[in-house]
Amino acid sequence: MTLSLPSRAAASIVKPLSPRLLTLRDGNAEMRWEAMAGQGFAVPTDRFFVRNHTRSPLLDVGTWRLRLFGTGLRGSPTLDEAVEFDYGDLRAMPAEETAAVLECAGNGRRFFASQQAHPAPGVPWGLGAVGVARWRGVRLSTVLRHAGLTDDAVDVQPEGLDPDFVTGGENLGRVRRPIPIAKALDDVLLAYEMNGETLPVDHGFPVRVVVPGWIGISSIKWVGPIEVSATPLSSPWNTRFYRMFGPDHPVDGRLVTTPVVKSAFELPWDVRVPSGEQVLIAGRSWSGNGPIRRVDISTDDGASWRPADLDPDDEGGVWQRWTTLWRPPRPGRWTLRARATDVTGAGQPDQARPNALGYLFDGVVRHPVTVY
Ligand code: MTE
């Protein structure tokens, strides 16, 4: 039975929110990691996390237009003079499909508080503000060239058609964030399908941006206008939010672009397992720097570590499934830890570096288990 929860989230999110698959957090929905047990490489759409600054808009695909404008296009069209593409135009262009991770920069934020006594404001995500989907669409570079891109363009800023974001009484306008032209011309997709189906409303219907390897805020949903500029662009989403502020960082903060290394067990939080029986424990690790090279597991609160078995199907992929066997020796409270290292040698410290807004938690998470 699928239960839909009547709550703030229900007003903001359109898809059914089964409590077996998703946890509600401040109007957003976090994937439950145990809902990935036995699943394939991609996260099914019914359990894919949703992060909305306001709410999912219901857009009419018949009247929807992608509108490109700005000083980086031939003739410097204004928004009123924008070069327009409709849904059919995009569908008629060469299509591409890519498996990409989407991860909120604040994923794991609650562990700054629970493990490091350093709480940060923002959605108190566990580890489930992440997912891999197969995204299909047209390359942004193809559309930019059709729109008359010039050699002078330096930044591209897609804007969502969801309501303006208002915080502390201040209207910051529509969700938007610049992408440097080199990345925009590289592997960025304007996606209209997710996991082989029409892009769902909550994930950006009719079209969203997908910026592979960059934090989730770059991947603007419900995209409408796209500014292409010959001078650098900025928005509150790259100057005020999604920056690392605090004693370890520059005074004006450090831009957050690349997700860090993380690992999660496909187990309920506080799972109960019988003592003396061998159990197969599964999980996944991922990094914005590139593929995962090794994963180590501790079942004794960090005293000893052993390598996990990596699923060879995922070698070189955007995330890595792994398993390990464990025979809990006796009843009691136990803590599981998983620690991954990626191809660049980046790993997971015991303590993540705190920052004012609680981004990029890369610390080893202590997963509690009760053995009975
Ligand atoms: N795009 C728009 N227009 N509005 C939003 O609120 N949220 C961003 C990004 N794109 C957002 C957006 C953030 S913070 C994240 S993490 C991802 O979308 C989440 O994508 P999802 O809801 O499809 O998982």
Side-chain angles (χ1 to χ4, degrees), residues 49-51 53 102 104 160 162 203 208 216 219 221-222 242:
F49 83 100
V50 181
R51 163 69 174 118
H53 279 72
L102 200 66
C104 196
D162 38 338
H203 299 292
R208 80 174 300 163
S219 295
K221 303 193 273 188
W222 313 293
Y242 303 99

Side-chain angles (χ1 to χ4, degrees), residues 15 28-29 48-55 57 102-106 125 129-131 135 159-163 165 174-176 194 199 202-204 208-209 215-223 237 242:
K15 71 181 176 184
N28 302 282
F48 205 97
F49 83 100
V50 181
R51 163 69 174 118
N52 282 350
H53 279 72
T54 57
R55 62 183 159 78
L102 200 66
E103 182 176 25
C104 196
W125 301 112
V130 65
W135 308 100
E159 190 175 291
L161 295 173
D162 38 338
F165 179 59
R174 284 173 171 166
V175 178
R176 61 200 186 281
M194 177 182 185
L199 192 64
D202 298 305
H203 299 292
R208 80 174 300 163
V209 179
I215 55 156
I217 185 60
S218 319
S219 295
I220 295 295
K221 303 193 273 188
W222 313 293
V223 60
W237 287 269
Y242 303 99

Side-chain angles (χ1 to χ4, degrees), residues 167-181:
T167 179
E170 192 185 356
N171 185 338
L172 300 178
R174 284 173 171 166
V175 178
R176 61 200 186 281
R177 193 183 206 237
I179 305 171
I181 191 71

